[in-house]
Amino acid sequence: MTIKPLEPSQLYKPCQLEQFSFTTTDELDDVDTLLGQDRAVAAIKFGLRIDKSGYNIFALAPDGTGKMTTIKQLAEHEACRQPPPADWCYVHNFSQPAKPKAIRLEPGEGKGFQDDMAELIDELSVGIPAAFDGDEYRSRAGELENESRQREQEAINQLREEAEQAHIIFTEAPNGYAFLPADDNNEPYTPDQFNKLDKERQHQFHDTVLDLQEKVQDALKKFPQWRKQTKRKIQALNREVAELAVHHSIDELKQKYAKNQAVQDYLSAVQQDIIDHVRDFMPHSEKVLSFMELPQEPAPFKRYRVNLMVSLNHKRCAPVVCEDLPNYANLLGRIDHQAQMGSLVTDFTMIKPGAFHKANGGYLILDARKLLLQPYAWETLKRTLQAGEIRIESLERALSLISTTSLEPEPIPLDVKVLLLGEPMLYYLLNFYDPEFADYFKVAADFASHIDREHNTLEYARLLATIARREKLRPLSRPAVARIIEHSARLADDSEKLLTHLRSIRDLLAEADYWAAENGHTAIANSDVQQAIDQKNHRLDQLRERLYETIRRGTIMIATEGRVAGQINGLSVLQLGEFSFGQPSRITATTRMGSGKVVDIERETELGGAIHSKGVLILSSFIAARYARNSPFSLSASLVFEQSYGHVEGDSASLAELCAILSSLAQVPLRQDLAMTGSVNQLGQVQPIGGVNEKIEGFFDICAARGLSGNQGVIIPASNVPHLMLRWDVVHAAQAGQFHIYPVTTVDEAMELLSGIEVGTADASGAYPPDSFNGRIDAQLKQFTNTIKEFGSKGDGK
């Protein structure tokens, strides 16, 4: 068989300029950035419009694909079809101050209600003092006080008259009332005069004074009761005056919110509380507080405020909220505290809304990774969606870490559609590990990372024009558009696909615009795009340069000429952030008599991954199935990546490893000017691998640094040919016949290329031609078997 290298036209699929009729992208119309996302858009629209519980949306796409922009645009478009949701506010609960009440208001009424309450208190703070300062109130209050004083005075006067009739002088003393005996002229007796009276007269005065004292005591006992009665009358008067002052203003608000029973009940409670605490509305004279005296409440009217949680006063559609930090407090809201006299105090006015409040009645967009990184945020999201209400409480209280008394705001009913954005792997992990996940996120919107190139080239050009205009960049020339399309196919690792990763496209355009400015171009040229690509690679390729330098200097041994048995150049890819490059590696194999075991040194030293070990087991099975179907598999082999000191993973080297073992077994040297990549199955078929462009370019760079001989090249799986978008220097070398890319479909094709010997096909009896590659392998295995039989043992070759 003869394997021919690929034609240069197969190594790179250029973008044909003839298909574009524009000069610059300024001539192109804008296009929706949702290019190629029909499946995801349909899923999002379905999730947004279905009105059933649990049909929230999880958007599967890597960061930078524009899923946030897409979802936000679709949600905003859908929100415009929905009416604005109700306003919500918290007010003081006069019966249970620790449990503020939630009041629902019609859309846009919240701000008005808040202003109405503030205006009501302002009016009453002026109107109530004015009512109590009026002539009518003063007259009626004065009458009550005069009546009380007159009643007390009448009681005292009655006692005084009774005392006068008994010739007793009734006087007021500093510590009470005094009684003095008097003569007929109503002059008080002196002690000597009183002692000169006869005993009967003295006893008579004494008994009368005692009787008067008892009557005075009885009267004095009645005074507090009379004063309480007067105070109650004054309080009743105050209530009457307050009711008259409050009634008109409150009734106006009740009429305004007549359709809202919750507001009606609240206004009635406010009216009653104002009447009960009418003294708070009266002006107080300033005084200096003593050391032990507590200060008066700084804002006595604070309990009448309205804490407006949600208000869509200026919106005519449902809200769309994007929460960048979805932690516990930002989702549910929080209750703030204020330091006062060494203590932390709070009230209903310090309740702050969360993302659920702001998005209630609309759509809430969250980043799944950020949500999962926040403690208890994921469980809070699920619990809130399940309960269908927003219950604000501190995280410490929710976890029972504290038992102090705090506010317990009344829960607010929740009606929201949640849209989570995350990597596909995150979606599958949640679906697998969280049994409740499927109950809350029934709609998966899977964003495509690539689109077909054949029918979308012009639309892609319009996408570039749209991004350039939105980012205020220079327009792109036609060759620049073609170069970006080619580079997009390279980033997609497929010449027939285009990348839809908007961040990568936007970054490339921004950097190309910078170089266009540096080069004095009015439009972004092809050279500016190429310079942006080259400069970005240069910023990131220091490690690649160092690695290639160690290969050029012979520190890492990679042969690019000659032939060696049991040795081959394998290819792998190193990914460093946004930059990836190919790394040639020497793979060696040794063979000897044994019991059919292939030792993977990487696995034995725990440097090989599971997939790499699987590849080794597959090639071992292929050797046994082909060459030892009817005889013992008398072979032991060892495989290793030489000078590899890190983890080895993947099966893309299994074809090279198989060829190295077969070469060592047949003692047929392999070409060192060829490198190889590809995986192999148990039937000997070569399977495609990833990173084929980087792998080819990695070996090319080493060969070019040492000097291209015209014989060097890379063997790749034939199924990887559509993925080729090689650098221009590699394509030019292929055009000049200095470097070659060989596609293979089977192990036999690869071995024939590497060895230059015909592989050989088994005849009807299963025998291979003696001079063929397979014939040499078969002969060597038979020799191993005969030697083992000769020694009469099943040795392992040691």
Side-chain angles (χ1 to χ4, degrees), residues 587-740:
I587 300 174
T588 60
T590 59
T591 55
R592 56 200 178 277
M593 287 188 298
S595 57
K597 181 178 181 181
V598 177
V599 177
D600 178 11
I601 295 178
E602 305 296 335
R603 181 181 62 185
E604 297 297 325
T605 57
E606 298 184 355
L607 290 176
I611 299 177
H612 177 262
S613 299
K614 176 184 176 182
V616 174
L617 293 175
I618 289 174
L619 66 88
S620 176
S621 298
F622 167 78
I623 297 173
R626 170 174 281 196
Y627 301 108
R629 288 179 60 88
N630 302 314
S631 61
F633 189 31
S634 306
L635 169 71
S636 287
S638 298
L639 276 172
V640 70
F641 277 75
E642 302 289 355
Q643 294 182 287
S644 171
Y645 308 105
H647 196 73
V648 176
E649 181 59 297
D651 64 348
S652 64
S654 59
L655 176 62
E657 292 170 331
L658 175 58
C659 291
I661 291 177
L662 297 178
S663 169
S664 173
L665 183 60
Q667 285 300 297
V668 174
L670 302 180
R671 292 174 57 181
Q672 301 301 297
D673 53 7
L674 292 179
M676 175 183 288
T677 183
S679 68
V680 66
N681 62 22
Q682 292 189 114
L683 303 177
Q685 298 169 333
V686 179
Q687 302 172 137
I689 44 81
V692 63
N693 294 293
E694 290 81 1
K695 291 177 178 179
I696 294 173
E697 292 165 356
F699 189 67
F700 172 82
D701 289 338
I702 299 302
C703 295
R706 293 177 175 177
L708 296 174
S709 65
N711 297 320
Q712 295 148 334
V714 176
I715 298 173
I716 66 170
S719 51
N720 277 124
V721 173
H723 304 152
L724 293 178
M725 287 294 291
L726 294 170
R727 289 197 321 246
W728 290 343
D729 55 345
V730 182
V731 177
H732 292 160
Q735 289 175 338
Q738 295 179 315
F739 198 77
H740 311 282

Side-chain angles (χ1 to χ4, degrees), residues 182-199:
D183 55 18
D184 294 338
N185 296 323
N186 205 26
E187 292 293 334
Y189 287 113
T190 64
D192 293 337
Q193 293 174 337
F194 183 79
N195 290 331
K196 294 178 179 180
L197 295 176
D198 56 54
K199 297 298 181 181

Side-chain angles (χ1 to χ4, degrees), residues 39 80 196 209 305 337 437 616 683 703 796 798:
R39 184 196 307 271
C80 291
K196 294 178 179 180
V209 168
R305 293 179 186 174
H337 291 75
F437 177 75
V616 174
L683 303 177
C703 295
D796 59 0
K798 294 183 180 179

Side-chain angles (χ1 to χ4, degrees), residues 435-446:
E436 297 178 336
F437 177 75
D439 295 335
Y440 302 110
F441 294 91
K442 297 180 181 293
V443 180
D446 198 354

Side-chain angles (χ1 to χ4, degrees), residues 119-196:
E119 184 178 352
L120 171 68
I121 300 305
D122 287 341
E123 290 179 359
L124 294 180
S125 63
V126 175
I128 290 178
F132 282 91
D133 197 36
D135 293 338
E136 181 180 356
Y137 173 78
R138 288 186 177 184
S139 174
R140 294 179 61 183
E143 290 177 359
L144 293 175
E145 292 177 354
N146 290 336
E147 180 182 344
S148 177
R149 287 194 295 268
Q150 185 177 358
R151 188 176 183 182
E152 293 179 6
Q153 190 63 39
E154 287 178 353
I156 297 299
N157 290 339
Q158 184 178 355
L159 291 174
R160 183 173 284 110
E161 290 177 359
E162 186 177 345
E164 287 180 357
Q165 293 176 1
H167 296 284
I168 301 238
I169 298 175
F170 182 30
T171 62
E172 294 184 12
N175 56 351
Y177 294 95
F179 298 92
L180 299 175
D183 55 18
D184 294 338
N185 296 323
N186 205 26
E187 292 293 334
Y189 287 113
T190 64
D192 293 337
Q193 293 174 337
F194 183 79
N195 290 331
K196 294 178 179 180

Side-chain angles (χ1 to χ4, degrees), residues 266-286:
Y266 171 68
L267 290 176
S268 297
V270 168
Q271 181 175 1
Q272 185 62 39
D273 188 77
I274 291 175
I275 293 171
D276 292 340
H277 299 84
V278 71
R279 290 178 60 85
D280 292 341
F281 289 83
M282 305 304 293
H284 299 277
S285 59
E286 297 183 359

